[in-house]
Amino acid sequence: MTMLLLSAGMFAAFEAKAQRTYEEMEQLTVNEQVTTVITASEPIRFVDISTDKVVGDQPINNVIRLKPKETGHEDGDVLAIVTIVTERYRTQYALLYTTRLQEAVTDKEIELMERNAYDNPAVSMSTVDMNRFARRIWNSPAKYHNVASKAHRMVMRLNNIYSVGDYFFIDFSIDNKTNIRFDIDEIRVKLADKKVSKATNAQIVELTPSLILEQSKSFKHGYRNVIVVKKMTFPNGKVLSIEMTEKQISGRNITLNIDYEDVLAADSFNAVLLEE
């Protein structure tokens, strides 16, 4: 497993304030023959392992895996303190060695009582809030009716653009006028040249969405989704494009180009969208 980032002392201020010892923490028993999987309720943004006696990795955004590097420890030895920081809370566990495999923790979910509220400066909007806003937009009426593209007897339309904080929420839909199911390969967001000259190479900048609301992999007639991207400014000579490609063999694709003027016209969230 790939070693997780170690940054000893990163959380010294937290620990000094709380004045906690490993005996007061939740203790997890570990063994070098057992992988301990810890699952958080939201994306994990940072993990600190206090010693190099334990290695770990993060296979998906809300899960980490831990395992002692070697044998030779005695029962009850404290191998490391692991600190986990998510978008809205942090927690710590003391990893205690056990020689008895049946006592080693294999699966651990971070419980509510183990979470210490944390205002993470790297997170301007949590994934939970982002999903909540995106779902409301997905259910809202379309405000745009003249931004669309056609390809392969399909029509891709822009429904809404909203802005909140550091993000744009882009709501789009596709009408498939064929009877052939569209199997989604990937959805890509790019900044591309509005007009491409044959004498020059087009400059394309790939953008990584902060959220793609719907994770469905195919549709037959109708499709709608909301993509969240970091706010940006770009020249009038560029367009923000959303491209959806199909898995082979047919390999259809369709792209929606959004002009800068439409991005500038993005609405802020209003009271109706914020209502529970």
Side-chain angles (χ1 to χ4, degrees):
M1 292 188 291
T2 305
M3 189 69 172
L4 279 171
L5 174 66
L6 301 179
S7 58
M10 184 74 178
F11 294 92
F14 292 127
E15 293 166 2
K17 182 177 179 181
Q19 293 293 307
R20 298 179 67 199
T21 67
Y22 79 86
E23 293 178 338
E24 297 170 303
M25 297 176 190
E26 179 76 13
Q27 299 178 357
L28 304 181
T29 49
V30 295
N31 182 277
E32 73 279 355
Q33 298 183 54
V34 175
T35 298
T36 300
V37 178
I38 301 177
T39 304
S41 60
E42 59 186 37
I44 295 170
R45 292 303 185 96
F46 183 87
V47 177
D48 176 82
I49 304 173
S50 62
T51 74
D52 60 0
K53 296 177 183 178
V54 175
V55 294
D57 69 352
Q58 186 173 341
I60 56 178
N61 66 0
N62 70 324
V63 171
I64 64 169
R65 299 182 293 191
L66 303 170
K67 183 185 290 188
K69 288 176 65 174
E70 55 191 20
T71 186
H73 306 289
E74 296 183 1
D75 284 319
D77 283 352
V78 181
L79 299 189
I81 305 297
V82 59
T83 302
I84 301 169
V85 177
T86 70
E87 294 177 336
R88 297 180 298 178
Y89 62 83
R90 64 181 183 86
T91 191
Q92 289 181 307
Y93 297 110
L95 305 181
L96 274 59
Y97 186 78
T98 179
T99 58
R100 294 175 286 277
L101 293 182
Q102 65 272 21
E103 293 182 358
V105 175
T106 59
D107 190 10
K108 169 65 181 173
E109 291 190 11
I110 301 177
E111 299 178 11
L112 188 61
M113 64 176 56
E114 299 167 355
R115 305 172 192 173
N116 298 305
Y118 173 56
D119 184 13
N120 193 333
V123 179
S124 60
M125 180 184 294
S126 71
T127 301
V128 172
D129 287 339
M130 203 175 285
N131 269 284
R132 182 163 56 95
F133 290 137
R135 181 59 62 186
R136 288 173 185 169
I137 293 170
W138 189 88
N139 286 307
S140 68
K143 291 186 176 181
Y144 287 79
H145 302 285
N146 59 349
V147 181
S149 63
K150 298 180 180 180
H152 309 290
R153 294 181 63 194
M154 296 185 296
V155 180
M156 189 173 186
R157 291 187 176 90
L158 174 67
N159 299 317
N160 297 292
I161 302 180
Y162 283 94
S163 68
V164 63
D166 297 330
Y167 299 95
F168 287 123
F169 290 69
I170 304 171
D171 169 18
F172 69 96
S173 59
I174 298 176
D175 293 327
N176 181 9
K177 299 182 182 299
T178 74
N179 289 319
I180 304 173
R181 180 174 294 277
F182 191 102
D183 295 314
I184 301 171
D185 182 25
E186 60 181 345
I187 302 173
R188 301 170 70 183
V189 183
K190 307 173 185 177
L191 274 181
D193 291 334
K194 186 180 294 186
K195 295 181 179 179
V196 180
S197 169
K198 293 182 179 180
T200 60
N201 293 325
Q203 293 186 355
I204 298 175
V205 179
E206 191 97 15
L207 303 177
T208 302
S210 299
L211 175 75
I212 298 178
L213 179 64
E214 289 295 324
Q215 297 298 317
S216 56
K217 294 300 182 183
S218 68
F219 63 94
K220 188 168 185 180
H221 294 298
Y223 175 87
R224 187 171 180 178
N225 210 337
V226 177
I227 289 180
V228 184
V229 296
K230 271 277 193 181
K231 277 187 177 178
M232 76 206 83
T233 58
F234 53 92
N236 285 329
K238 295 280 188 179
V239 291
L240 181 65
S241 69
I242 300 174
E243 179 187 47
M244 179 180 288
T245 57
E246 187 182 27
K247 294 179 180 178
Q248 298 297 332
I249 301 173
S250 63
R252 291 172 293 178
N253 66 78
I254 188 167
T255 300
L256 177 68
N257 292 324
I258 304 171
D259 286 340
Y260 187 46
E261 289 80 5
D262 293 317
V263 175
L264 287 177
D267 288 333
S268 295
F269 284 111
N270 55 46
V272 173
L273 284 173
L274 293 174
E275 287 176 358
E276 292 293 345

